Amino acid sequence: MVVKDVRDDRPERDYQSFNDRELVSMFTDGDRRAFEEFYKRYHHGLMRFIMSYCRDKNLAEDVVQDVFVKLIGFKVRAGLVRNIKSYIYASALNRCRDIVKKEQKNTALGDNGSNQSVTDDSAAEHIDIEIMNKNIQNLPERQKEVLLLRTESDLQFKEIASILGISENSAKVNYFYALTSLKKMMGGNFNE
Amino acid sequence: MNKYCREIEVKIVDYSENMLDKTQREIFLAHIQDCEDCRRKFEEFTAARDILANTAQKKDLNESDKDLLFKRLTERGRRSKIMYNLAAATVAVVLILVSTFIYSTVSYKSRLQQAGQTVISSEFIIDVEEELINSDEETFEMLSSALYGDDYKEFEEILDETSIIKP
Ligand SMILES: [Zn+2]
């Protein structure tokens, strides 16, 4: 398969000035540069969020792909999606919740589930991150969601509130308790 | 416990994220100095945030295969475009039928009520059409279930997801 990299001489900011909806419509019609711009805007943050949530790289890639594919679906085309950013994160979140629920069921049945490592870091750091990730999974669901949307995807509290259907203050309070509980859980494992 | 202590968590987060203006920041810091409870919470939060920031930096990932994703999207895009056009065409046909039906019913009724009492213009039909296209999700749902058959489940899922976002 040969995919031409269309980094021609047109200035990059042309595409940066398009809003999400325009970009989606353009890349659905095969515009590679529109896709590049959209990808740049969302892929990284989305991937980090999903990976921290599901803790499985392959699964996370599948989810990201599905979320992107949904953008070319009926609802977006019909103009029924008001905010593309909220929409992709809400879609991703729903998929993640399902995956984790399924995983918990499997674990309950004696299957160890997938607890793949998330990083390629050296051993010592690896343990810290591994412990941290495990502890994040043990937070109450809402706290975990707010925390990951904030730290992994760098979303504003306003955006997080809109995705989760809660108030901005509630998002902040959840973030506060997510972080402080996390530190308590880490206990002696973290001596800075 | 001072009135300011209420929702101190929100204020701590706002302070840490640089979301307070100068005056608010000064009030916040003065309170933290005076109030032991809030100060403890603030210190707890700051320490926790530092740990997380430290760990997060170490964590990064490779990008997935962008080309493959783009290919998949454009392929699906072409397919869904055909589906969408088909759906739009069906919607249009159904709308014409519905509007004609409404129009004839209403005009029949109005004829019965004697001309002049109810005036129906073509704008009325356009209104009905726009209303259906823009806001009536149920109609969309119905049409897509008829159109997509098994794929309807996916459509329903999409509707579910977006309902979270709606104010
Ligand atoms: Zn206080």
Side-chain angles (χ1 to χ4, degrees):
Chain A
M1 176 193 76
V2 183
V3 177
K4 211 181 137 210
D5 195 2
V6 207
R7 278 195 196 110
D8 54 28
D9 34 322
R10 275 176 298 172
E12 193 68 23
R13 63 174 173 277
D14 276 352
Y15 280 81
Q16 277 174 16
S17 68
F18 289 117
N19 66 32
D20 293 345
R21 192 176 303 279
E22 290 165 335
L23 287 177
V24 169
S25 143
M26 286 154 77
F27 76 62
T28 310
D29 288 337
D31 187 333
R32 173 73 195 222
R33 282 167 59 97
F35 173 72
E36 294 281 346
E37 172 60 27
F38 192 84
Y39 190 94
K40 206 166 69 192
R41 270 183 215 178
Y42 292 120
H43 186 271
H44 191 69
L46 202 57
M47 189 73 187
R48 286 189 68 121
F49 169 70
I50 300 166
M51 233 168 91
S52 305
Y53 203 113
C54 312
R55 310 189 59 223
D56 182 324
K57 188 156 189 284
N58 295 329
L59 262 178
E61 267 165 15
D62 286 350
V63 175
V64 171
Q65 294 226 353
D66 288 351
V67 169
F68 270 66
V69 165
K70 274 209 168 139
L71 288 170
I72 55 180
F74 192 74
K75 196 145 186 197
V76 175
R77 279 173 183 279
L80 295 171
V81 174
R82 241 171 268 187
N83 183 330
I84 301 259
K85 189 174 184 180
S86 295
Y87 177 71
I88 55 178
Y89 274 97
S91 309
L93 185 63
N94 278 357
R95 285 290 311 275
C96 288
R97 283 174 180 159
D98 287 348
I99 288 169
V100 168
K101 232 176 266 161
K102 223 177 271 168
E103 203 178 277
Q104 278 164 352
K105 218 185 266 170
N106 286 343
T107 314
L109 288 171
D111 175 359
N112 228 358
S114 55
N115 272 336
Q116 288 187 12
S117 101
V118 207
T119 57
D120 311 311
D121 290 333
S122 70
E125 286 166 350
H126 194 88
I127 292 166
D128 289 343
I129 295 166
E130 202 39 39
I131 293 167
M132 169 83 92
N133 283 334
K134 278 213 174 98
N135 285 326
I136 289 175
Q137 308 305 317
N138 289 331
L139 289 171
E141 196 167 346
R142 174 94 338 138
Q143 285 181 22
K144 170 183 160 185
E145 288 168 1
V146 172
L147 178 75
L148 295 180
L149 287 169
R150 179 77 197 110
T151 56
E152 299 298 320
S153 304
D154 212 20
L155 297 191
Q156 302 298 311
F157 285 106
K158 209 170 161 184
E159 294 171 323
I160 296 171
S162 137
I163 291 164
L164 298 176
I166 58 179
S167 74
E168 207 179 320
N169 275 4
S170 163
K172 286 172 186 169
V173 172
N174 273 289
Y175 180 65
F176 178 93
Y177 285 107
L179 273 181
T180 47
S181 321
L182 203 56
K183 185 172 178 291
K184 273 180 206 141
M185 286 180 194
M186 306 293 279
N189 286 320
F190 250 105
N191 295 316
E192 288 295 292
Chain B
M1 185 158 147
N2 183 318
K3 201 173 135 211
Y4 192 86
C5 305
R6 231 186 307 143
E7 290 213 316
I8 190 69
E9 295 88 355
V10 173
K11 287 157 194 149
I12 290 172
V13 171
D14 282 341
Y15 174 82
S16 309
E17 307 262 330
N18 266 325
M19 287 161 88
L20 299 179
D21 62 33
K22 195 167 171 277
T23 324
Q24 288 170 324
R25 218 163 38 230
E26 278 161 9
I27 296 171
F28 174 80
L29 289 173
H31 181 81
I32 292 297
Q33 284 267 309
D34 292 345
C35 175
E36 208 194 313
D37 279 353
C38 291
R39 186 168 59 242
R40 215 185 38 242
K41 281 189 169 176
F42 176 60
E43 283 164 358
E44 229 175 273
F45 179 80
T46 311
R49 213 182 58 136
D50 290 347
I51 289 175
L52 195 81
N54 233 333
T55 320
Q57 272 168 11
K58 296 171 191 162
K59 196 161 83 176
D60 229 321
L61 36 98
N62 303 320
E63 293 196 344
S64 70
D65 192 347
K66 220 196 290 182
D67 291 342
L68 213 65
L69 178 57
F70 182 64
K71 192 166 166 259
R72 195 171 158 206
L73 283 175
T74 44
E75 270 166 11
R76 288 278 299 243
R78 220 171 299 134
R79 230 179 66 202
S80 95
K81 197 170 185 178
I82 295 166
M83 291 281 262
Y84 179 71
N85 290 340
L86 202 67
T90 314
V91 170
V93 169
V94 171
L95 283 174
I96 289 166
L97 293 177
V98 169
S99 343
T100 314
F101 175 72
I102 292 171
Y103 185 77
S104 56
T105 316
V106 180
S107 61
Y108 174 67
K109 211 165 141 195
S110 76
R111 238 183 292 137
L112 284 183
Q113 288 170 344
Q114 288 171 1
Q117 275 197 331
T118 322
V119 183
I120 302 134
S121 65
S122 56
E123 274 167 38
F124 171 72
I125 297 170
I126 293 165
D127 278 351
V128 172
E129 214 175 300
E130 273 187 357
E131 207 179 299
L132 288 173
I133 288 175
N134 291 332
S135 62
D136 193 340
E137 291 195 4
E138 260 177 45
T139 308
F140 260 114
E141 235 175 299
M142 252 162 48
L143 284 170
S144 11
S145 81
L147 197 74
Y148 287 127
D150 284 347
D151 283 350
Y152 173 57
K153 274 207 182 82
E154 192 182 323
F155 182 80
E156 213 174 28
E157 206 178 281
I158 298 170
L159 283 180
D160 280 354
E161 275 160 14
T162 38
S163 64
I164 306 173
I165 315 163
K166 282 192 187 134

